[in-house]
Amino acid sequence: MTGVTAITLTRYRPIEVLRAMRSVRAQQVGVPVEHLVLIDDNPEIEEALAPVVGGFPDCTVRYVPREPGEVSGPGRASRLRNLGVQLAAHPWVAFLDDDNEWTEDHLASLLDLAERSGSRAVYCEVALLTVTGDPYLEPRWPWAGSRQEAEERYRRYVEQGVCVPGSNVIHDRPDVHDVPVDSSAWLLSRDLLLDVPFTDRFSADDARDLVSEDDKLFYELRGRGERLACTGRPTLRYYLGGYSNSRETVHRPEDIAWSSE
């Protein structure tokens, strides 16, 4: 039977990961969906989730300690994503970052496209939101090293149809090769991910250019000639912020009004 394993990595975002858990539970799809939440070596998150995880019967929370000397960043995220793929029980895998959420038809629309297209790698468009949930409408590309670069890239993407002034949606343009697919937008065959795992090797140039593990996966799939397909629907609600596993501050569990509703 077709089914989906949704994988979420979390380290410093107990409030946001609960929102992600609710989002997976709310999926309106006619196949089994399991949610695997991997805690990146933070006992406070494990403690915070313990009282509420019972309200998510298809969710498994697993604590993953770090090896000595292991640090935050895309390399660590890659290793956790690959672990999640190895643990996945279903033939399809989706990733939902702990600070993002999906619309209720996200997985259904991706599975439908995968069936129609025969593609092992399908994805959706992205709706950008501020940290407070408002549409991000600034005329700047949010992933840039400087304000000038952000404005220049935004203008270029408007010309290419990736961005539309007054809209918070990143539109798919397969010919624009420098806009990779975000990890939370993908639905991927587990067999494909076992064959093409996330790389954990990153250079100083990668860090300077803000290259992430999902960027490298996108380029690897393109380089292999893998057939990619997009739904053309912004079913990923992307909250701008940053890496969960690189934040320096932690919400205290006692400060959180935990609820599975």
Side-chain angles (χ1 to χ4, degrees):
M1 177 184 292
T2 296
V4 180
T5 298
I7 299 171
T8 296
L9 317 181
T10 191
R11 179 166 169 82
Y12 285 144
R13 291 176 174 155
I15 295 174
E16 292 86 345
V17 74
L18 181 59
R19 182 180 63 199
M21 291 164 64
R22 290 174 179 150
S23 178
V24 174
R25 187 179 60 180
Q27 290 301 296
Q28 299 295 312
V29 60
V31 301
V33 176
E34 68 165 346
H35 191 190
L36 180 59
V37 177
L38 300 179
I39 298 175
D40 183 7
D41 198 19
N42 188 328
E44 290 189 34
I45 300 294
E46 183 179 38
E47 177 187 350
L49 289 180
V52 299
V53 72
F56 299 85
D58 297 315
C59 180
T60 299
V61 176
R62 176 167 176 157
Y63 187 89
V64 186
R66 294 189 175 191
E67 298 295 330
E70 196 167 17
V71 298
S72 296
R76 170 64 175 174
S78 289
R79 290 185 284 276
L80 289 174
R81 293 192 194 280
N82 291 334
L83 173 63
V85 172
Q86 293 165 14
L87 296 172
H90 294 300
W92 290 98
V93 172
F95 298 96
L96 180 60
D97 288 349
D98 62 356
D99 58 337
N100 294 331
E101 62 182 338
W102 295 327
T103 62
E104 292 183 356
D105 60 342
H106 175 77
L107 291 179
S109 61
L110 288 169
L111 284 168
D112 177 68
L113 176 61
E115 182 177 359
R116 288 188 287 107
S117 67
S119 173
R120 299 189 297 171
V122 297
Y123 58 97
C124 70
E125 292 185 338
V126 181
L128 295 181
L129 305 174
T130 67
V131 70
T132 58
D134 297 316
Y136 176 80
L137 301 174
E138 297 297 323
R140 288 180 288 277
W141 187 249
W143 303 282
S146 67
R147 184 185 181 95
Q148 179 181 357
E149 179 190 353
E151 293 174 347
E152 290 175 352
R153 292 184 67 178
Y154 179 81
R155 286 193 294 269
R156 183 167 76 250
Y157 292 150
V158 167
E159 294 173 355
Q160 295 171 321
V162 174
C163 297
V164 176
S167 170
N168 69 324
V169 175
I170 299 176
H171 295 279
D172 179 55
R173 292 294 181 270
D175 55 323
V176 183
H177 298 162
D178 60 341
V179 182
V181 177
D182 185 81
S183 60
S184 296
W186 283 113
L187 178 72
L188 297 148
S189 161
R190 179 173 181 267
D191 287 342
L192 175 61
L193 285 170
L194 290 173
D195 188 35
V196 189
F198 287 88
T199 182
D200 62 359
R201 295 181 179 274
F202 292 83
S203 66
D205 288 341
D206 290 333
R208 182 199 63 212
D209 296 334
L210 306 178
V211 175
S212 65
E213 72 279 5
D214 41 357
D215 296 341
K216 290 212 169 188
L217 177 68
F218 173 75
Y219 294 129
E220 176 70 14
L221 293 177
R222 287 192 61 90
R224 288 168 53 96
E226 191 71 33
R227 179 168 51 180
L228 312 180
C230 179
T231 64
R233 301 172 60 184
T235 56
L236 169 60
R237 293 167 54 84
Y238 186 105
Y239 290 80
L240 293 167
Y243 283 112
S244 171
N245 68 353
S246 64
R247 263 179 62 176
E248 296 180 355
T249 58
V250 180
H251 294 285
R252 296 176 300 167
E254 59 267 27
D255 293 338
I256 303 166
W258 286 101
S259 170
S260 62
E261 297 300 318

